[in-house]
């Protein structure tokens, strides 16, 4: 019973985190690569055009994959990279809390990382690779018994 609840909770967590990143990605999409790169350059992010393409890709395509549960660890790490960049370039001087603080950026990065490596059974990753690993573990257990 708790296993099903855990899987639903993980799915809801993935959806919540992904929706926030997706919203930021769509803002960047509306600004275009050049507009986003100009903002990144103003904040001191190196290789601003490359960073803009990377951020838009992770925040849009990665978020859709995160909701579906596909390539979860990779997207979770992408979320961390983007969040660390935002934290260091925009939010760090504002402190942890308050206007422009980095509390949300920090929570999103760590939640994305945790969910990326613990996505649950309601995911494409589990469907594609998790069942195979479970069978392999079962087989290895039977052989050692």
């Amino acid at each position: 019973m708790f296993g099903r609840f855990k899987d639903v909770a993980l799915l809801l967590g993935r959806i919540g985190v992904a929706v926030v990143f997706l919203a930021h990605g769509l803002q960047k999409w509306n600004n275009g690569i050049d507009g986003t790169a100009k903002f990144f350059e103003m904040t001191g992010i190196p290789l601003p055009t490359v960073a803009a393409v990377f951020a838009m890709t992770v925040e849009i395509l990665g978020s859709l994959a995160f909701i579906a549960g596909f390539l979860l660890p990779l997207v979770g790490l992408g979320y961390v990279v983007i969040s660390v960049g935002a934290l260091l370039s925009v939010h760090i001087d504002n402190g942890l809390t308050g206007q422009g603080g980095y509390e949300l950026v920090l929570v999103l990065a760590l939640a994305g990382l945790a969910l990326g490596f613990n996505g649950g059974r309601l995911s494409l990753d589990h469907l594609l690779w998790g069942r195979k690993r479970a069978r392999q573990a079962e087989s290895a257990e039977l052989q050692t018994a």
Side-chain angles (χ1 to χ4, degrees):
M1 178 176 145
F2 287 113
R4 289 181 189 160
F5 179 76
K6 176 182 172 185
D7 290 325
V8 170
L10 290 168
L11 173 62
L12 293 174
R14 287 195 334 256
I15 291 169
V17 168
V19 164
V20 174
F21 277 103
L22 180 61
H24 283 90
L26 292 175
Q27 285 178 327
K28 289 174 181 70
W29 179 268
N30 288 335
N31 292 331
I33 292 173
D34 290 338
T36 302
K38 284 179 187 173
F39 174 75
F40 282 3
E41 187 175 31
M42 286 177 13
T43 61
I45 294 175
L47 301 170
T49 301
V50 173
V53 170
F54 176 77
M56 291 167 74
T57 301
V58 171
E59 290 178 344
I60 296 171
L61 297 179
S63 292
L64 296 174
F66 209 66
I67 290 168
F70 185 61
L71 301 175
L72 288 169
L74 185 64
V75 177
L77 290 170
Y79 284 165
V80 169
V81 169
I82 290 168
S83 297
V84 168
L87 191 151
L88 295 176
S89 65
V90 177
H91 299 280
I92 194 76
D93 291 337
N94 300 320
L96 178 63
T97 60
Q99 184 70 25
Y102 61 86
E103 73 275 11
L104 179 61
V105 174
L106 179 64
V107 168
L108 286 169
L110 297 177
L113 185 65
L115 291 165
F117 284 90
N118 300 286
R121 292 179 293 185
L122 298 177
S123 68
L124 286 177
D125 284 354
H126 179 74
L127 183 66
L128 296 171
W129 300 292
R131 291 179 177 177
K132 181 179 178 183
R133 273 183 269 169
R135 283 193 302 270
Q136 288 172 342
E138 231 175 70
S139 176
E141 190 177 295
L142 291 173
Q143 289 175 359
T144 59

